[in-house]
Amino acid sequence: MKQSVKLIAGNWKMNGLGASLGEARALSEALAAEPAACRVALCLPATLVHRLAEAVAGGVVEVGGQDCHAEASGAFTGSTSAAMLADAGATLVILGHSERRAGFGESDADVAAKVEAALAAGLEPIICVGETLDQRQAGEAVVVVSAQVAGSLPSSLSGKAFAVAYEPVWAIGTGLTPTLEQIEEVHAAVRAAMIGRLGEGGRIAPILYGGSVKPSNAAEILAVAEVGGALVGGASLKAADFLGIIRAA
Ligand code: PEP
């Protein structure tokens, strides 16, 4: 299907101090001088969300968080609610990243509950799915990812702004990427699962690819059918690298 404007989102993970915002400022200034053909977002650690929002105010860089709690408030020491992210200036939030699914035991149901919380706070969720290397080698990638989409997307997403990110776990931070055919196959399956879950409401939202995207491979990946953008980890930390990906969109 014809995709609308692509979304290129950076995920700094647990990286970045105040001084790192110079990279975000450099990105924002470069995009002001030469506008991008896509949407651009930076998803930063919660400690930097408000400072990022101030640093890029008035520009095109959108501000995101990397996780939120499923509850709106309460006795959850150390957690950040979706409303807190929105209050700090975020408009997007990554949910269900494989590092949270694996490291913090987040299930599809947990992710769906967080998506509900994000929507209630007016945030645009970027919902991550992806198979492990074992699952890929067992020929289960499409089945696993389709099940994650079905379980992680609440029906309330229909008609709302959101994105799904297909991120093969074995491609994240490894320098490995699937073949373009493999990306196309899984993205088609993700779209079918989105439509199966949300009906017509599953046709519009972009499906991002994530996993070792860099300036040198971005153009070919972003040209694959149903690739509506990219979720970028390591290569989003430096403005110059991230711009190389943005300019390929
Ligand atoms: C990610 O963290 O979502 C990611 C895709 O990381 P990288 O680009 O470094 O593989």
Side-chain angles (χ1 to χ4, degrees):
M1 73 178 275
K2 181 86 183 86
Q3 296 274 329
S4 50
V5 176
K6 289 185 178 1
L7 169 62
I8 308 294
N11 171 18
W12 279 16
K13 313 194 190 204
M14 196 174 75
N15 296 295
L17 300 174
S20 318
L21 291 173
E23 294 295 332
R25 278 190 208 93
L27 176 70
S28 184
E29 284 162 14
L31 295 174
E34 192 182 334
C38 57
R39 292 175 61 200
V40 177
L42 282 176
C43 299
L44 265 51
T47 50
L48 289 180
V49 166
H50 184 60
R51 291 166 76 179
L52 173 65
E54 289 185 332
V56 301
V60 299
V61 176
E62 300 174 43
V63 177
Q66 300 174 2
D67 179 46
C68 69
H69 200 281
E71 297 295 331
S73 62
F76 303 103
T77 302
S79 296
T80 305
S81 74
M84 290 171 183
L85 289 176
D87 186 53
T91 55
L92 304 105
V93 63
I94 297 170
L95 294 172
H97 192 284
S98 65
E99 289 154 14
R100 300 232 30 116
R101 290 177 183 263
F104 297 85
E106 289 187 9
S107 66
D108 289 340
D110 294 331
V111 176
K114 291 182 175 202
V115 173
E116 299 271 24
L119 294 179
L123 294 177
E124 179 176 344
I126 300 173
I127 305 153
C128 302
V129 296
E131 82 284 0
T132 64
L133 185 58
D134 284 350
Q135 290 165 336
R136 163 64 62 182
Q137 289 175 337
E140 297 168 352
V142 162
V143 170
V144 166
V145 168
S146 300
Q148 287 176 330
V149 171
S152 305
L153 274 57
S155 56
S156 54
L157 273 174
S158 197
K160 301 278 178 22
F162 72 100
V164 173
Y166 167 54
E167 298 204 302
V169 178
W170 51 274
I172 296 177
T174 61
L176 303 173
T177 52
T179 65
L180 300 179
E181 291 73 22
Q182 287 170 330
I183 293 174
E184 182 168 357
E185 179 190 31
V186 179
H187 277 239
V190 169
R191 178 64 69 198
M194 289 165 67
I195 294 169
R197 181 78 186 94
L198 304 174
E200 287 303 303
R203 283 194 192 279
I204 305 295
I207 305 169
L208 316 184
Y209 168 78
S212 297
V213 177
K214 40 190 187 268
S216 59
N217 63 15
E220 61 180 12
I221 291 173
L222 289 167
V224 172
E226 285 289 14
V227 173
L231 183 54
V232 183
S236 70
L237 293 170
K238 295 286 173 208
D241 293 338
F242 199 36
L243 276 166
I245 295 169
I246 290 163
R247 298 297 181 210

